[in-house]
Amino acid sequence: MTKKSVLVTFALGIATVFIADSPANFAQESHVGNLAGNASSGKQLYRRFCIGCHGPEGDGNGENAQWIDPKPRDFTAATFKCRSTPTGTLPTDQDLDHAIQRGFVTTNMPSWNPLTPQQRADLVAYIKTFSPRWTGEKPGTPINIPPETAVTIQSILHGRELFQKMECWKCHGPAGHGDGPSASTLTDSKDNPIRPYNFSTGSRFKCGETNQDLYRIFITGVDGTPMPSFADVIQPNDAWDLVHFLRTLQALRTPEADMWKKYAAEHATEIKPIGPNAGGGR
Amino acid sequence: MSIKFSIRTTAIRWSFIGLLLAGGFPGLVMFGRGGLTAHAAPLPSIRVRAIPAFARKYGLPCSACHTAWPELNNFGQVFRDNGYQLGNERDSPIWQNPSYFPVTFRMTPQWHRESTNNLAVDSIPGGGPASTLVSGKVQQNGFDLSGMDLWTAGTLYRNISFSLLPSADSTGAFHFEAAWVRFDNLKGSSWLNVKVGKFELDNLISEKRFLFLSANGGIYQSYHYDVPGTINDFGYGDNQLGVELAGHSKNSYTRYSVAVLSSNDGNVGFTSGSGAPSNRGYDVNLAFSQAFNGGSLGLQRIGAFSYFGQRPTYYQTSTGSDGSTVALIGFGNKPFYRVGVAGDFFLKKLEFLPSFMYGHDNAYLGAGIPSTSPLPPGAKAPAFVAGFLESHYYVSPQLVFFGRFEKIGVAQQAFVNAGFPNDYGNVTAYSVGYRWYPIMFSRAGLAWHSEYSIAKSNGFLPLSGNGGGLQVFSLTSPVWSSSVMLGFDFDF
């Protein structure tokens, strides 16, 4: 066998390996529940529904992007805020479907719930064609969300301690109004100014509205923003305590808020403020 | 005498037009409707709705809410059902830049050709003692304008939405096509929404947001049809005055509405379509539809509707200061109803919109006599059966082909038409066309519109209004009226 034929054979073999297990095939499809989404169908839907903000190249530079704040998602970066997967990893197809279905409250991204599940699955498949990351790696493994612990005043108080100790207040503010001392300095991964979530407004979060959604946000982080993942620094029970405390910051009628309101009325003089020199948050 | 050619996008009940004939009879003449030679229902007022102001507000392209504007897709239907709100907690106008103004303008400069036969015309142009009336075809063509929509809609506050639509015919004469306030999501529920004012009935297949614009194609014949001879003036496609309770599931797959309306076909000032006083009665409209996920085929929807109304058969009168009889208030109400089913089906890019309607008027309405008098022998309740099948093919969000076949059959003639041919009053209509949207973005809309429509009315003038004010030459011969329309439909 000549040297040239060896090289050709080697090249063909490599090509075969790539084609046979082509991540491109994977990237052109999605699997959401029992549905398989197809990128070519998704392309037509994207042109109809998404192109105005996310742009023809999926880079977030649609014709309306200049007027929108926060900016549309840049799909070419494959960095997604709302995932069930660890920070730095790709979301699952289900995560993307949920994001499309849910929309992002207080942004220009509406809930596309009126689309059929098949249409959303097709859109997921097409969105994945914008970044080469989808051809080179697979989504992360969804995190495990343990059963929620009981909502007790002890849980809320401990969560308050954690809110102080982990310095959440520096961004989100002592009362969770998104006005912490660092808030005005924050930028996202594209160097656009970004505000921390204001717990006192709105009825839901960008990545959901349940306690489980809030738990997931702590553990996975909000990629592309200064909100980190706390997976390595917080235990599951602590995370639930933090969830229960954060619910008391919202202008919603929740069991946590009712419990805290009663406790705060009875122990007003014992509660230390959150913030610098707060001494623990209790 | 001048001849009226109605422009479907601009038509109002009283239209003004001048035509200089070879014999030199210029002038503007006001036309209305009435009598056996023309359909009893008033000339319909048609508007078609798409509002780029919403696209500007939310940064979405027109195609996000419309299959091909103005027709809504399900996302647009949900937006509309939510009271023109996206539900992103930024719907209240306080969140908008003060420079945003929720107003849109729509108009269609065009070339069109209208042709109607079986009309009684002078055998000698100009008339005269030697002239007789013969059957003739009246045809006209040229450049023209549609009317204009000047529409504003949106939110006054979170969950309080509004719409105001002053609408002009091609001469600039305005009327209020729609004006309402709606309280959305009462008690936090999408099932409870209350609208008050003048509005389109909750039709599964909306005439206000369909793709046709020509004189003969720009109406659903069945939405404006009453059996010839009846004194009922109701049009299912006419906007009505009243209050509506409506609700929908979060994705609008399930929708319902119940409306209580004044019994005057949406006319203001307690008048009816003919200008006579209205009664003190109220009508009821019920509508329901359910959508199903058709998988890869798309969303499928079926629905049913029913309208129960009443119209007066005589009037309380008085003697005016000039000695004339003045009608005051309509009395002797007699009922009528319209019931039907409709659907919206997708086979990927192909959409089918079937509709079936049955209409029934009380015998007194068909006889046109006061309810205090006995019915004449042989008087029966006029009734009709109507249906259409419309189809769209969406090559892309920027190109759509459309067509429609419609048929109306008189099931029972009005008493006043006793002895007329059995098919008197029947209608058959066809329409084909396409719309090409050269631009599709979030600021404004433009469509090149091409359409051919033709309608056959057995023994009476076409519902388009072509030939309005003239006589049909022969009751036993059909009147064929055709429209060719080429125009630029723009919407800012």
Side-chain angles (χ1 to χ4, degrees):
Chain A
M1 206 175 197
T2 64
K3 200 176 189 179
K4 186 177 176 183
S5 63
V6 167
L7 284 171
V8 169
T9 304
F10 177 76
L12 283 174
I14 296 295
T16 303
V17 168
F18 274 107
I19 290 169
D21 190 24
S22 173
N25 292 334
F26 170 76
Q28 294 289 329
E29 288 181 349
S30 71
H31 298 277
V32 181
N34 296 329
L35 298 173
N38 176 268
S40 62
S41 301
K43 183 175 181 179
Q44 297 175 41
L45 296 167
Y46 183 90
R47 182 182 172 197
R48 172 179 286 281
F49 296 114
C50 316
I51 202 170
C53 295
H54 293 282
E57 309 299 327
D59 56 5
N61 287 324
E63 63 190 12
N64 296 305
Q66 58 185 309
W67 313 111
I68 291 174
D69 181 33
K71 297 297 177 193
R73 177 65 32 198
D74 176 1
F75 297 129
T76 64
T79 300
F80 297 91
K81 284 181 177 172
C82 301
R83 308 168 326 283
S84 62
T85 57
T87 187
T89 65
L90 290 171
T92 64
D93 291 351
Q94 198 81 37
D95 292 337
L96 294 178
D97 176 73
H98 284 161
I100 294 170
Q101 188 176 10
R102 182 181 55 238
F104 286 80
V105 68
T106 71
T107 77
N108 282 67
M109 172 69 177
S111 162
W112 295 100
N113 190 45
L115 301 187
T116 65
Q118 183 63 56
Q119 288 175 318
R120 293 196 300 270
D122 291 335
L123 277 170
V124 168
Y126 184 64
I127 285 167
K128 288 160 60 177
T129 66
F130 285 122
S131 169
R133 278 191 71 186
W134 294 100
T135 63
E137 62 182 273
K138 290 190 176 178
T141 301
I143 63 163
N144 175 53
I145 301 179
E148 183 177 354
T149 57
V151 178
T152 63
I153 192 59
Q154 287 74 26
S155 172
I156 293 172
L157 287 169
H158 186 232
R160 197 167 186 272
E161 276 182 38
L162 291 168
F163 189 81
Q164 168 71 34
K165 187 170 142 185
M166 295 167 62
E167 299 187 330
C168 306
W169 57 270
K170 281 196 171 176
C171 294
H172 290 283
H177 290 180
D179 56 355
S182 302
S184 60
T185 67
L186 299 177
T187 56
D188 64 12
S189 56
K190 287 190 169 271
D191 292 326
N192 295 315
I194 187 170
R195 300 290 298 187
Y197 183 72
N198 182 347
F199 287 90
S200 66
T201 63
S203 58
R204 52 194 195 275
F205 317 110
K206 284 194 174 59
C207 298
E209 54 190 312
T210 67
N211 283 5
Q212 285 70 27
D213 293 327
L214 200 44
Y215 181 101
R216 188 183 300 114
I217 291 169
F218 292 150
I219 302 302
T220 65
V222 184
D223 284 359
T225 78
M227 174 67 183
S229 162
F230 289 90
D232 296 330
V233 299
I234 197 169
Q235 295 299 314
N237 284 355
D238 291 341
W240 282 122
D241 291 342
L242 199 44
V243 166
H244 296 156
F245 168 68
L246 290 174
R247 283 299 196 190
T248 69
L249 300 177
Q250 290 185 290
L252 294 174
R253 187 83 190 269
T254 61
E256 296 89 346
D258 286 345
M259 201 174 284
W260 175 250
K261 192 174 172 183
K262 186 169 179 288
Y263 178 87
E266 294 169 356
H267 300 88
T269 56
E270 301 167 29
I271 299 172
K272 295 193 179 74
I274 291 175
N277 309 315
R282 275 262 183 191
Chain B
M1 174 178 286
S2 300
I3 299 173
K4 179 191 148 308
F5 293 94
S6 61
I7 311 300
R8 273 281 59 80
T9 55
T10 69
I12 60 172
R13 287 180 179 75
W14 303 96
S15 300
F16 294 83
I17 194 168
L19 176 65
L20 185 64
L21 298 179
F25 287 88
L28 290 172
V29 181
M30 186 168 79
F31 290 98
R33 284 197 172 270
L36 291 179
T37 56
H39 193 273
L43 188 64
S45 176
I46 307 302
R47 297 261 47 94
V48 284
R49 313 251 174 97
I51 182 162
F54 292 148
R56 292 193 286 272
K57 179 179 179 181
Y58 291 108
L60 294 169
C62 302
S63 56
C65 289
H66 298 277
T67 51
W69 66 264
E71 187 188 77
L72 290 176
N73 59 29
N74 194 53
F75 180 78
Q77 185 67 61
V78 172
F79 176 70
R80 183 169 179 264
D81 286 344
N82 280 332
Y84 304 129
Q85 302 181 100
L86 276 189
N88 61 352
E89 298 183 3
R90 291 295 182 267
D91 293 305
S92 177
I94 195 66
W95 294 106
Q96 301 306 312
N97 188 302
S99 62
Y100 169 73
F101 207 59
V103 175
T104 193
F105 304 82
R106 182 179 179 186
M107 198 150 183
T108 311
Q110 61 191 261
W111 178 93
H112 71 116
R113 172 186 177 276
E114 310 294 332
S115 175
T116 305
N117 72 355
N118 194 20
L119 295 177
V121 299
D122 290 333
S123 59
I124 300 173
S131 176
T132 57
L133 286 177
V134 297
S135 174
K137 179 165 71 176
V138 180
Q139 182 189 100
Q140 178 62 296
N141 66 77
F143 292 97
D144 210 345
L145 292 178
S146 71
M148 183 190 74
D149 275 340
L150 175 57
W151 189 29
T152 178
T155 50
L156 298 173
Y157 191 71
R158 188 179 176 201
N159 286 330
I160 303 178
S161 50
F162 76 98
S163 173
L164 177 60
L165 178 50
S167 183
D169 68 7
S170 55
T171 70
F174 273 89
H175 72 288
F176 289 111
E177 177 71 14
W180 50 260
V181 174
R182 186 177 189 256
F183 300 93
D184 316 305
N185 302 311
L186 294 171
K187 296 213 173 278
S189 171
S190 62
W191 294 105
L192 293 174
N193 305 275
V194 174
K195 181 193 294 184
V196 179
K198 183 173 180 179
F199 47 85
E200 180 191 14
L201 294 175
D202 186 25
N203 307 333
L204 188 157
I205 302 178
S206 168
E207 191 183 55
K208 310 303 182 197
R209 284 175 297 279
F210 73 167
L211 300 176
F212 300 83
L213 292 178
S214 73
N216 281 294
I219 55 168
Y220 289 127
Q221 308 276 334
S222 52
Y223 280 22
H224 301 280
Y225 184 85
D226 297 300
V227 175
T230 183
I231 60 175
N232 187 5
D233 66 349
F234 174 70
Y236 186 67
D238 296 338
N239 284 10
Q240 306 290 330
L241 277 161
V243 57
E244 178 190 85
L245 169 67
H248 61 100
S249 58
K250 288 290 184 195
N251 56 9
S252 287
Y253 278 22
T254 307
R255 304 177 68 253
Y256 84 91
S257 70
V258 179
V260 175
L261 310 149
S262 284
S263 298
N264 62 355
D265 204 39
N267 289 282
V268 297
F270 300 140
T271 59
S272 66
S274 61
S278 62
N279 60 13
R280 294 188 293 229
Y282 296 92
D283 301 347
V284 173
N285 185 68
L286 306 169
F288 175 83
S289 72
Q290 176 68 50
F292 303 91
N293 181 2
S296 59
L297 294 179
L299 198 66
Q300 321 298 333
R301 185 181 289 277
I302 57 172
F305 57 90
S306 58
Y307 190 100
F308 302 95
Q310 51 186 336
R311 290 295 185 266
T313 57
Y314 67 95
Y315 298 90
Q316 181 188 50
T317 59
S318 179
T319 302
S321 54
D322 61 353
S324 61
T325 301
V326 178
L328 300 174
I329 299 171
F331 280 111
N333 295 333
K334 286 298 178 184
F336 68 93
Y337 64 85
R338 306 284 184 264
V339 294
V341 292
D344 187 359
F345 305 111
F346 277 90
L347 291 176
K348 292 187 183 285
K349 292 186 177 183
L350 190 57
E351 182 182 17
F352 293 102
L353 297 140
S355 173
F356 173 81
M357 179 191 292
Y358 176 75
H360 181 279
D361 291 357
N362 181 271
Y364 276 96
L365 298 177
I369 64 171
S371 61
T372 51
S373 304
L375 277 173
K380 286 189 169 57
F384 69 90
V385 176
F388 63 77
L389 178 63
E390 181 172 319
S391 179
H392 310 151
Y393 182 72
Y394 301 96
V395 176
S396 73
Q398 294 178 245
L399 178 60
V400 56
F401 293 88
F402 49 83
R404 187 174 77 237
F405 168 71
E406 187 166 10
K407 199 156 180 68
I408 303 174
V410 175
Q412 174 61 53
Q413 297 284 356
F415 173 74
V416 293
N417 298 334
F420 282 24
N422 285 342
D423 63 355
Y424 175 74
N426 287 4
V427 175
T428 308
Y430 309 85
S431 295
V432 292
Y434 72 92
R435 282 171 71 84
W436 171 54
Y437 303 84
I439 56 172
M440 181 64 68
F441 75 142
S442 313
R443 290 293 177 266
L446 175 67
W448 166 254
H449 185 96
S450 294
E451 182 183 330
Y452 173 77
S453 296
I454 187 164
K456 181 181 78 166
S457 315
N458 284 14
F460 71 101
L461 289 173
L463 292 179
S464 62
N466 283 355
L470 301 183
Q471 295 183 54
V472 173
F473 183 78
S474 168
L475 296 178
T476 58
S477 299
V479 176
W480 286 93
S481 183
S482 67
S483 305
V484 176
M485 179 187 169
L486 305 168
F488 285 102
D489 186 17
F490 69 87
D491 198 6
F492 179 77

